[in-house]
Amino acid sequence: MANAVFRGEGVVKAFVAALSLAFLVATQGGCGGKPKAYQPVSGAHHSLSSLVITPANPVVAMGESERFVATGIYADGTKQDVSSTVTWASAHPEIAPIDKSGTAIAKKSGATLITAASGSISAGATLTIPPPALVSINVMAPSLSLPKGNTEQLSAIANYLDGSTIDVTGTVTWASSAPGVVLANGTGVIAAAGPGTATITASFGDIRGAEQITVGPPVLISLAIVPPNPSMAKGGTQQLGVTGTFSDASLQDVTGSVVWTISPTTVAAVSGTGLISALSTGSAAITATSASRSTSTNLTVLPASLASLSITPSNPSLTIGSSRQLTATGTFSDGTTQNLTNSVSWSASPAAVAVSNTGVVNAITNGTATVTATSGSVSASDTITISGTTLTSIAISPSNPSMVKGATQPLIATGTFSDGSTQNLTGSVTWSSSPGNIVTVSAGLASAMGVGTATVTATSGAISGSDTITVSAASLVSIAVSPSNPAVINGKTRQLTAMATYSDASTQDITASAAWSTSSPNVVNVSGSGLVTAQTPGTAPVKATSGAITGSTMITVSPLTLVSIAIAPPNPSIPKGETQQLMATGSYNDGSTQDITSQVSWSNSAPNVVGLSGSDPINITAENLGTATLTATSGSTSGTTNVKVSAPVAVALSIVPTNPSVAVGITQQLSAVETFSDGTTQPLANSATWTSGNPDIATVDNSGLVTGQAVGMATIAASYLLLNSSVTLTVTPFNYLLTEGPSSSGSFGSSYFANANAPGIDATFRVANPGTTGQDVCAMVYVFAADQQMSECCGCRVTPNGLLTLSLNKDLDLNPLTGRVPVSGTVQVVAGDRSSNPNCDPSTLTPAGVLTVWATHVQNIAADSSGGSGGSAPDNLSPADLQSECAFVQGLGSGQGICSCGTEQ
């Protein structure tokens, strides 16, 4: 036995505590039997009276498990762990299911009733799983830029500590930093109210998320053509218009900015300005398009309608008794003409003439008469002159005039009659010109069309008169300088344009060929191409000259001035203790902007609320809760922003103490402390989430209570919302601590004793289950005499947080195998797995679990001693050696060699 050694792969790491104990003879039978507290009972007075479930109302984090224990209370007052024999059930298995061993797993937040039943006896406990902590809120926007007048739905997504997300759009509180720019209602719908930028915030308690929305000018929403569905006669024209409706509900005439199309183009044509020309009868679709918006209307073209009538010859002269055929010509809406002489209604007044249904006029008496041709609502009239004399000649005046191309000249035809009288026949003669491309004449008005000479003739009946007209090239009439009277910022340039108008009404851009000049070169400089450069504030005339013709405009030079100052960011909100940078941007009258942060003077309406420092940029520090108005001023121009100082926010998390240390099996309370932006601190109580990076070294519960599990270093971390902190916990050895070794071998310890059964001497040997595993643990006890022969062995169940008390004289040294009570020897305790060994049989040993062992009134001898007053220790005995020797004692002793398990508290 003394030479026994560890073999195989299940080597147990031993923590040895040297204790001096005295053997007593055990009174309990065989090593394989149960301790007294667990011997089966019988009889009515030992029937089950009630059940108790522990823990009673635990709170378990999602994803964690909880081991419930059912304790049976019998009629005689005894208690027994019946966890493995009762029937376990969960009222809401979707929240936390429970297996047949009493282990429940937290699946989702909520509460469920856990019951244990044995026959008609049952008991219950409430398991609560709190929801995960809210970490942050994300604000989701379909678009970060909206035109004025538009609306859109925002979404708020809550992010929880366990990684889950929930749409909380309808439960958060929505707010806008600038309601004049963006309005936000309670459901997350925002409306673009005016140009600018606003921050939209979704808040739930202290958690908030935000998104910045920019509002631009209103955009075109729809178009409408007016009038709708027009109809017109072939050959006619009609002007259409387009009204645009914009996102802010405003209406604008956008006729000139749309693109017009028509289909089919054989029915009508449309110009770029919306003028419709009817080409043929039928229907056509007219479309107006602007960007991505378009609208259409239907056009109906009816057959051409009679637009006007004319009678020829115009204003004829007749002698009494003569006749004249008049012709009625109709002009239609499509520009065509038709001889309607025989279809119109003819009439004459007074009775100086008579007119037939075919338009023949007969002169009756001297005087004048009006002849009218009528077709429906359209009519035309002609004046007939009747005399008793005849026309002998016609003269045209002025005689042989000269014209420039594009000009007009009134001509007069004077008739001389047989009696020597004269009469103005301009309106009654027939005018002609040859060639027609030089001069045209209508009703006596000659128009110069081309350069050259033309003969103009006036004819009445068989009498005619001619005149020669000479046409020269068109001449320059005027010069227009544009833009008219412009304003130019000092130091800037402006291009002028010279447009020439000629006598034939033609125009030409002569900017490059005109001579440019100014009488005030100190105010502006003008180049040969018409480019004006502003030199100094004032006014200056600028002329463009070509030959004898001059055009001019007046230039006004304005100084460059500051128009407004904008402070960015606008109206910030800053937690107390934090800082923010501000920048001032100036806008000038030429449309330019400039950073003028260091050039303006800054003022503060509430220095006790915010502090100012620096120059470019300006730094503001949130000092106290409230609002301060900051003003940036340059000359007479200023800009303001309102700075709101809000409550301080948490910026850091720390753990105290900073360098904690505990012994194995001992606990220590850690605390999580928030540090805020203003430097203040606040303990978090039980709000933090605690984790151990090395749970085999140390564990930590939800309140920050750490428990040393094994000697070493463990990282303990705390988190709250987005804050994290950690410390390194040092776990030191604890006297007489038996702690968990490799999972395959469990743990054990060895203690020496001497002077057993001496008068008045006893020892108390205590074994505690710290509850680390949440399971029952078997304390396997092996007692050796001084000659290293096993004297007694037994297995004792220790419940979680249970304390087993053993008397050396009454429990461990009372029933030796040989019947001879040793006065010195060794006691070894091994933590064993009860789940596979429910009776804690020490001859069947699977080391596992954690036990804490200590004793009083004993003689301590070093663990590695090979002798001494307590005798030699059975060094290096493996679990296989221990269970083999215990089996030998059980088989050989016939009741001798079985120690007692004492009492558990």
Side-chain angles (χ1 to χ4, degrees), residues 279-559:
L279 302 178
S280 64
T281 58
S283 297
I286 301 172
T287 301
T289 303
S290 177
S292 61
R293 306 296 180 185
S294 65
T295 186
S296 298
T297 192
N298 189 62
L299 169 70
T300 302
V301 178
L302 304 173
S305 60
L306 181 62
S308 64
L309 285 171
S310 63
I311 300 175
T312 57
S314 175
N315 303 322
S317 295
L318 301 177
T319 57
I320 297 174
S322 64
S323 63
R324 188 72 179 267
Q325 175 67 57
L326 299 183
T327 300
T329 302
T331 300
F332 290 82
S333 57
D334 61 355
T336 60
T337 59
Q338 186 177 344
N339 188 334
L340 302 178
T341 302
N342 295 326
S343 62
V344 297
S345 297
W346 293 95
S347 62
S349 178
V353 298
V355 60
S356 70
N357 290 336
T358 60
V360 177
V361 176
N362 295 302
I364 299 175
T365 62
N366 287 333
T368 60
T370 299
V371 177
T372 302
T374 302
S375 178
S377 61
V378 181
S379 64
S381 298
D382 198 8
T383 300
I384 308 297
T385 302
I386 302 100
S387 64
T389 59
T390 59
L391 181 64
T392 58
S393 67
I394 298 174
I396 299 175
S397 61
S399 177
N400 303 321
S402 295
M403 303 172 64
V404 294
K405 180 184 176 184
T408 59
Q409 173 68 55
L411 300 179
I412 299 174
T414 302
T416 300
F417 292 84
S418 56
D419 62 356
S421 64
T422 60
Q423 184 179 342
N424 186 341
L425 303 179
T426 303
S428 61
V429 296
T430 301
W431 293 91
S432 62
S433 175
S434 179
N437 63 337
I438 301 296
V439 174
T440 62
V441 61
S442 174
L445 183 65
S447 299
M449 307 300 293
V451 177
T453 301
T455 299
V456 176
T457 301
T459 302
S460 178
I463 307 301
S464 65
S466 298
D467 197 9
T468 299
I469 298 178
T470 301
V471 180
S472 59
S475 61
L476 178 62
V477 176
S478 64
I479 298 174
V481 177
S482 61
S484 177
N485 303 325
V488 183
I489 302 300
N490 189 27
K492 303 293 183 177
T493 61
R494 187 69 180 268
Q495 179 64 52
L496 302 182
T497 300
M499 186 65 69
T501 301
Y502 294 87
S503 58
D504 60 354
S506 63
T507 59
Q508 184 178 345
D509 187 339
I510 60 170
T511 303
S513 61
W516 294 89
S517 63
T518 179
S519 61
S520 302
N522 62 317
V523 178
V524 297
N525 173 271
V526 59
S527 71
S529 62
L531 181 67
V532 171
T533 302
Q535 306 279 58
T536 187
T539 59
V542 175
K543 296 180 179 180
T545 303
S546 179
I549 306 300
T550 297
S552 65
T553 190
M554 184 65 72
I555 306 294
T556 300
V557 178
S558 303

Side-chain angles (χ1 to χ4, degrees), residues 564-620:
S564 63
I565 298 174
I567 300 175
N571 302 320
S573 179
I574 312 170
K576 180 183 177 183
E578 294 196 350
T579 61
Q580 171 79 54
Q581 291 183 343
L582 296 182
M583 183 177 75
T585 300
S587 297
Y588 294 84
N589 59 345
D590 64 347
S592 64
T593 59
Q594 183 179 343
D595 182 354
I596 58 173
T597 305
S598 61
Q599 303 169 22
V600 298
S601 60
W602 293 85
S603 61
N604 182 359
S605 69
N608 63 319
V609 175
V610 298
L612 294 180
S613 63
S615 60
D616 190 7
I618 287 291
N619 295 313
I620 59 175

Side-chain angles (χ1 to χ4, degrees), residues 7 39 41 74 82 89 111 122 250 270 295 329 349 411 437 514 583 622-623 750 758 786 809 832 862 905:
R7 293 178 176 86
Q39 292 295 326
V41 296
Y74 293 85
V82 293
S122 64
S250 63
V270 61
T295 186
T329 302
S349 178
L411 300 179
N437 63 337
M583 183 177 75
E623 305 285 358
S750 176
N809 294 338
Q905 298 177 353

Side-chain angles (χ1 to χ4, degrees), residues 440-803:
T440 62
V441 61
S442 174
L445 183 65
S447 299
M449 307 300 293
V451 177
T453 301
T455 299
V456 176
T457 301
T459 302
S460 178
I463 307 301
S464 65
S466 298
D467 197 9
T468 299
I469 298 178
T470 301
V471 180
S472 59
S475 61
L476 178 62
V477 176
S478 64
I479 298 174
V481 177
S482 61
S484 177
N485 303 325
V488 183
I489 302 300
N490 189 27
K492 303 293 183 177
T493 61
R494 187 69 180 268
Q495 179 64 52
L496 302 182
T497 300
M499 186 65 69
T501 301
Y502 294 87
S503 58
D504 60 354
S506 63
T507 59
Q508 184 178 345
D509 187 339
I510 60 170
T511 303
S513 61
W516 294 89
S517 63
T518 179
S519 61
S520 302
N522 62 317
V523 178
V524 297
N525 173 271
V526 59
S527 71
S529 62
L531 181 67
V532 171
T533 302
Q535 306 279 58
T536 187
T539 59
V542 175
K543 296 180 179 180
T545 303
S546 179
I549 306 300
T550 297
S552 65
T553 190
M554 184 65 72
I555 306 294
T556 300
V557 178
S558 303
L560 181 66
T561 57
L562 180 64
V563 176
S564 63
I565 298 174
I567 300 175
N571 302 320
S573 179
I574 312 170
K576 180 183 177 183
E578 294 196 350
T579 61
Q580 171 79 54
Q581 291 183 343
L582 296 182
M583 183 177 75
T585 300
S587 297
Y588 294 84
N589 59 345
D590 64 347
S592 64
T593 59
Q594 183 179 343
D595 182 354
I596 58 173
T597 305
S598 61
Q599 303 169 22
V600 298
S601 60
W602 293 85
S603 61
N604 182 359
S605 69
N608 63 319
V609 175
V610 298
L612 294 180
S613 63
S615 60
D616 190 7
I618 287 291
N619 295 313
I620 59 175
T621 302
E623 305 285 358
N624 292 290
L625 300 183
T627 301
T629 299
L630 303 184
T631 304
T633 303
S634 177
S636 61
T637 304
S638 63
T640 63
T641 187
N642 293 320
V643 180
K644 180 181 179 182
V645 177
S646 57
V649 295
V651 295
L653 188 68
S654 60
I655 298 175
V656 292
T658 56
N659 296 295
S661 176
V662 297
V664 174
I666 303 304
T667 62
Q668 180 170 354
Q669 181 65 53
L670 302 183
S671 298
V673 178
E674 279 184 294
T675 299
F676 292 85
S677 55
D678 62 350
T680 60
T681 60
Q682 175 181 309
L684 271 178
N686 295 325
S687 300
T689 298
W690 296 87
T691 57
S692 171
N694 310 89
D696 54 332
I697 302 297
T699 58
V700 61
D701 67 10
N702 292 337
S703 68
L705 183 69
V706 294
T707 302
Q709 303 293 346
V711 175
M713 310 288 279
T715 300
I716 305 299
S719 63
Y720 178 66
L721 301 181
L722 300 178
L723 303 178
N724 300 279
S725 182
S726 63
V727 295
T728 299
L729 173 72
T730 302
V731 181
T732 60
F734 182 78
N735 288 338
Y736 317 124
L737 178 67
L738 302 179
T739 187
E740 187 176 0
S743 61
S744 61
S745 57
S747 61
F748 71 96
S750 176
S751 302
Y752 297 93
F753 64 92
N755 301 319
N757 291 317
I761 294 178
D762 194 4
T764 301
F765 193 80
R766 293 181 174 86
V767 180
N769 178 356
T772 302
T773 64
Q775 305 291 326
D776 292 349
V777 178
C778 290
M780 304 299 195
V781 182
Y782 304 96
V783 183
F784 294 88
D787 61 0
Q788 300 188 13
Q789 297 298 316
M790 185 175 289
S791 175
E792 297 184 44
C793 61
C794 58
C796 305
R797 186 191 70 170
V798 187
T799 60
N801 301 312
L803 175 63

Side-chain angles (χ1 to χ4, degrees), residues 44-65:
H45 63 286
H46 293 301
S47 61
L48 182 63
S49 298
S50 62
L51 290 172
V52 176
I53 298 178
T54 55
N57 295 295
V59 178
V60 180
M62 194 179 302
E64 300 294 326
S65 62

